[in-house]
Amino acid sequence: MEGITELSGKQKAAILLISLGPDKSAKIFKHLDEEQIEEVTLEIANMQKVGTEMKNKVLKEFYHLLQANDYISSGGIKYARQILAKAVGEDEADNILNRLTANLQVRPFDNIRKADADQLLNFIQGEHPQTIALILSYIESPQASQILSSLSEEVQSDVAKRIALMDRTSPEIIKDVESVLEKKLSSVITNEYASAGGIDTIVDILNQVDRGTEKNIFDQLDEEDPDLSEDIKKQMFVFEDIVLLSDKAVQLVLREVETHDIALALKTSGEEVEEVIFNNMSSRARDMLKEDMEYMGPVRIREVEDAQQRIVNVIRQLEESGEIIIARGGESELVV
């Protein structure tokens, strides 16, 4: 790809975001930290006109990298190279895989992730909570949430806490656990410490468990480690999830928050969130909000995040008081 090899990763990211347009780019920004957003935004601002050919080259490279990641996840490096070679040739396949050097290791418990959740539950429920926490940190969150919900109440909170506090696990420990759980496991483990667990992991799991499991875990965490409990709760429901609420719930939320906070919060949100907000306001309130947004001018990302968190806190308070319902994975839609 002549020309693209001279570009830095940040420049390629800028071209990709320009190609995707503002709405899709805004959704990607939500997954970046403040420093990354500022760096990529600077690249976009300093970038001259990007030709169609260059855009297509960047998009093609990005698409191939995504394909390679999928192939590695489903069948390993050898499988990924075989499939890519058929599609783009041997040299380009090696090129693509070389760009993914950091991701060329198959994650621990790879075969276990493909197992049925019920079978896996029978496989691990007699294990120590720390072992269960380690396994749930590596498997997919829907699978992990189903298993967590099926554990006894005492074990649930213990495992959840261990996942939240987990940072890095020695490869020797992972190897020991793997050898006990599956002798034929052939996953490649690096000599570096493997990252697993943490707040993000337990949030992904808890966002998909039933309300009873969630309540039991938080009741116990509130007593044992209230700071940790609060850290998890803050990330359980993000501002963009407001689209999951009913119109009536959104209207209740809007009555409890300041118009200026809504205007700030919408600064980085996509069209779907804006539409939900606007559709649940009176014409006069909507006009006032749009006027506030128009004359607000540039604001710091931190101000936007703080406003979004204030709105999320209101949503949590309304749910705790029973005034609104936030759908959870594994729950019935029946409301009585």
Side-chain angles (χ1 to χ4, degrees):
M1 288 188 180
E2 188 178 351
I4 195 173
T5 53
E6 286 78 28
L7 296 176
S8 68
K10 293 174 189 175
Q11 288 173 322
K12 291 178 184 178
I15 293 173
L16 175 65
L17 293 172
I18 291 170
S19 303
L20 293 176
D23 293 335
K24 290 185 175 66
S25 296
K27 293 179 180 178
I28 293 174
F29 271 171
K30 294 169 188 173
H31 299 280
L32 304 178
D33 60 38
E34 189 171 342
E35 183 179 352
Q36 290 171 327
I37 291 173
E38 289 176 358
E39 289 176 347
V40 175
T41 301
L42 183 62
E43 289 292 345
I44 293 174
N46 290 331
M47 194 161 284
Q48 302 301 318
K49 183 178 178 181
V50 181
T52 302
E53 184 180 359
M54 182 59 72
K55 284 183 183 179
N56 289 338
K57 286 180 178 180
V58 171
L59 287 170
K60 185 177 180 182
E61 180 180 291
F62 179 68
Y63 175 67
H64 283 159
L65 290 173
L66 284 179
Q67 276 188 315
N69 264 325
D70 287 342
Y71 295 151
I72 290 171
S73 297
S74 59
I77 299 167
K78 185 177 179 181
Y79 171 77
R81 182 173 279 108
Q82 289 174 344
I83 300 298
L84 286 170
K86 290 180 182 178
V88 299
E90 294 281 350
D91 290 342
E92 184 60 21
D94 286 337
N95 253 349
I96 293 166
L97 291 174
N98 286 338
R99 293 189 205 111
L100 292 172
T101 301
N103 298 321
L104 289 182
Q105 306 298 335
V106 179
R107 289 182 68 194
F109 308 107
D110 185 55
N111 291 338
I112 291 177
R113 288 205 306 278
K114 300 171 186 176
D116 177 76
D118 290 332
Q119 293 177 330
L120 188 51
L121 173 65
N122 292 330
F123 200 42
I124 69 172
Q125 62 181 349
E127 298 293 331
H128 189 278
Q130 185 65 28
T131 301
I132 298 175
L134 178 63
I135 295 169
L136 297 192
S137 295
Y138 276 106
I139 64 177
E140 301 298 332
S141 53
Q143 195 180 22
S145 65
Q146 186 176 340
I147 292 171
L148 185 61
S149 298
S150 301
L151 298 173
S152 66
E153 290 189 356
E154 310 81 62
V155 176
Q156 281 177 354
S157 60
D158 191 4
V159 169
K161 181 178 179 180
R162 289 171 186 271
I163 293 174
L165 295 176
M166 194 180 295
D167 181 16
R168 294 181 180 273
T169 306
S170 158
E172 288 77 18
I173 293 176
I174 296 176
K175 285 179 181 178
D176 288 342
V177 174
E178 284 182 333
S179 65
V180 171
L181 296 177
E182 193 170 352
K183 294 179 180 179
K184 295 181 180 180
L185 192 63
S186 59
S187 296
V188 178
I189 298 180
T190 69
N191 289 325
E192 298 177 357
Y193 278 56
S195 296
I199 299 292
D200 290 343
T201 301
I202 194 59
V203 166
D204 285 341
I205 295 172
L206 291 181
N207 271 330
Q208 299 180 64
V209 302
D210 60 273
R211 196 184 308 274
T213 299
E214 179 191 316
K215 184 177 185 303
N216 171 62
I217 288 171
F218 278 122
D219 283 348
Q220 295 196 45
L221 281 180
D222 285 341
E223 291 184 11
E224 297 174 8
D225 196 332
D227 290 339
L228 175 63
S229 181
E230 186 61 26
D231 286 343
I232 297 172
K233 286 177 181 177
K234 283 180 180 177
Q235 297 186 48
M236 282 289 292
F237 184 97
V238 295
F239 175 69
E240 289 74 19
D241 290 336
I242 198 169
V243 299
L244 303 176
L245 301 179
S246 67
D247 287 344
K248 182 179 179 182
V250 174
Q251 290 161 22
L252 282 172
V253 172
L254 294 178
R255 288 194 207 119
E256 299 294 325
V257 297
E258 298 289 337
T259 301
H260 186 65
D261 274 351
I262 301 173
L264 274 172
L266 290 177
K267 270 284 189 178
T268 59
S269 65
E271 288 184 357
E272 187 179 8
V273 175
E274 281 193 5
E275 185 178 351
V276 167
I277 298 291
F278 290 153
N279 287 347
N280 284 285
M281 303 179 80
S282 66
S283 298
R284 181 172 177 274
R286 184 165 55 247
D287 291 341
M288 289 176 61
L289 175 59
K290 289 182 177 179
E291 184 177 346
D292 195 1
M293 293 172 65
E294 184 178 350
Y295 291 104
M296 181 177 292
V299 295
R300 292 181 178 275
I301 291 291
R302 176 56 59 193
E303 293 179 59
V304 175
E305 292 174 345
D306 289 345
Q308 291 178 347
Q309 189 58 53
R310 286 193 290 273
I311 295 173
V312 168
N313 290 341
V314 169
I315 293 172
R316 284 172 49 201
Q317 289 166 7
L318 290 172
E319 186 193 25
E320 288 172 5
S321 66
E323 295 181 67
I324 66 173
I325 293 176
I326 300 173
R328 294 286 194 273
E331 286 192 319
S332 166
E333 293 299 317
L334 181 63
V335 178
V336 294

